Amino acid sequence: MTIRDDHALAADLATEAGERLLRVRERVGFADSAALRAEGDRSSHVYLMESLARLRPSDSVLSEEATREERLDPRRLTAERVWIVDPLDGTREFSEEGRADWAVHVALWERGKLAAGAVALPAQGRTLTTAEPPKLPSFDKGRFRIAVSRTRPPEFVQKLAYLVGADLVPIGSAGAKISAVLTGEVEAYVHAGGQYEWDSAAPVAVALAAGAHASRIDGSEATYNQADPSLPDILVSLPELAASLLAGIRDLHR
């Protein structure tokens, strides 16, 4: 692996981890979904942690699959550079044969901001990255589509869709949903059912680099590398839809 910079490193690591996960699917099979999920989480986490320890030994790492003690290590809070990774986002979809809405997230937080990131969508054969941010699709006025959780769509999003004139599209992982905004499959993603920093850091980094809107659902900036990694809600949309979505959310929460 030839590393040019942090953007390229994020893309290379996410892509390689994704290719390894495809091989795990082939090797383990789908008969025992729990075993497949466990092996996917474990193997991708080990690969990313070993790679970052070798290639960026001075940096800290916050990974979903780390132990609780590792995630709460106070040294992370004083570090200038922290990699925030989700080795397998959308574990449920990963274990279902034929589904392609799962992802690998690799993001770099540096001195208070997301500095680089990549989202690999291995079963779709692509990686979205801050190295070459995707060109946002254009949007003509009219009804649009909002990506929501397959299994636990927030009730308020159904009301929001009615209010702003949108249709809901169930998709698996958060990374797949935010990527769908960037590739034109939907125009927005709204979530308020509870998430953590690793669920959105990498896709938000790519979305911001592409010029999309990304914020908390109250319009405030999503901040990362906090002592408590809970980041329960997120809004990502084409920039021209952000104002109406934020206004709709605000009206529903009055």
Side-chain angles (χ1 to χ4, degrees), residues 93-171:
E93 287 73 24
F94 172 75
S95 69
E96 295 179 14
E97 189 170 12
R99 294 206 69 92
D101 48 351
W102 51 277
V104 178
H105 298 176
V106 177
L108 173 65
W109 173 97
E110 185 171 17
R111 300 183 182 91
K113 297 285 185 181
L114 294 174
V119 180
L121 301 160
Q124 300 178 29
R126 58 186 170 185
T127 298
L128 305 184
T129 169
T130 53
E132 296 181 20
K135 182 181 178 182
L136 292 181
S138 58
F139 174 70
D140 295 325
K141 291 182 179 179
R143 292 187 69 83
F144 59 95
R145 298 160 293 184
I146 301 175
V148 295
S149 170
R150 285 178 64 205
T151 55
R152 47 189 176 93
E155 182 179 353
F156 90 91
V157 177
Q158 299 180 29
K159 298 177 181 176
L160 176 67
Y162 176 78
L163 189 65
V164 300
D167 299 312
L168 300 182
V169 180
I171 299 176

Side-chain angles (χ1 to χ4, degrees), residues 22-199:
L22 288 174
R23 294 196 289 273
V24 170
R25 266 182 150 188
E26 292 179 359
R27 174 167 53 82
V28 178
F30 297 90
D32 186 341
S33 59
L36 179 57
R37 291 194 296 269
E39 179 58 15
D41 280 333
R42 186 202 65 79
S43 62
S44 187
H45 172 72
V46 168
Y47 167 72
L48 290 173
M49 294 298 289
E50 290 181 348
S51 297
L52 287 168
R54 175 168 50 87
L55 298 167
R56 294 292 190 269
S58 298
D59 295 350
S60 293
V61 181
L62 172 63
S63 170
E64 179 184 19
E65 299 307 320
T67 65
R68 183 176 183 275
E69 289 72 21
E70 289 170 335
R71 293 200 300 263
L72 296 179
D73 186 343
R75 290 175 296 182
R76 172 174 63 81
L77 302 178
T78 58
E80 292 191 346
R81 290 164 52 91
V82 179
W83 293 88
I84 302 174
V85 303
D86 189 342
L88 176 51
D89 184 60
T91 311
R92 177 195 299 267
E93 287 73 24
F94 172 75
S95 69
E96 295 179 14
E97 189 170 12
R99 294 206 69 92
D101 48 351
W102 51 277
V104 178
H105 298 176
V106 177
L108 173 65
W109 173 97
E110 185 171 17
R111 300 183 182 91
K113 297 285 185 181
L114 294 174
V119 180
L121 301 160
Q124 300 178 29
R126 58 186 170 185
T127 298
L128 305 184
T129 169
T130 53
E132 296 181 20
K135 182 181 178 182
L136 292 181
S138 58
F139 174 70
D140 295 325
K141 291 182 179 179
R143 292 187 69 83
F144 59 95
R145 298 160 293 184
I146 301 175
V148 295
S149 170
R150 285 178 64 205
T151 55
R152 47 189 176 93
E155 182 179 353
F156 90 91
V157 177
Q158 299 180 29
K159 298 177 181 176
L160 176 67
Y162 176 78
L163 189 65
V164 300
D167 299 312
L168 300 182
V169 180
I171 299 176
S173 83
K177 287 192 274 284
I178 295 175
S179 296
V181 177
L182 307 182
T183 58
E185 296 161 66
V186 299
E187 285 72 40
Y189 167 47
V190 182
H191 182 81
Q195 284 185 345
Y196 293 91
E197 292 183 13
W198 46 77
D199 291 308

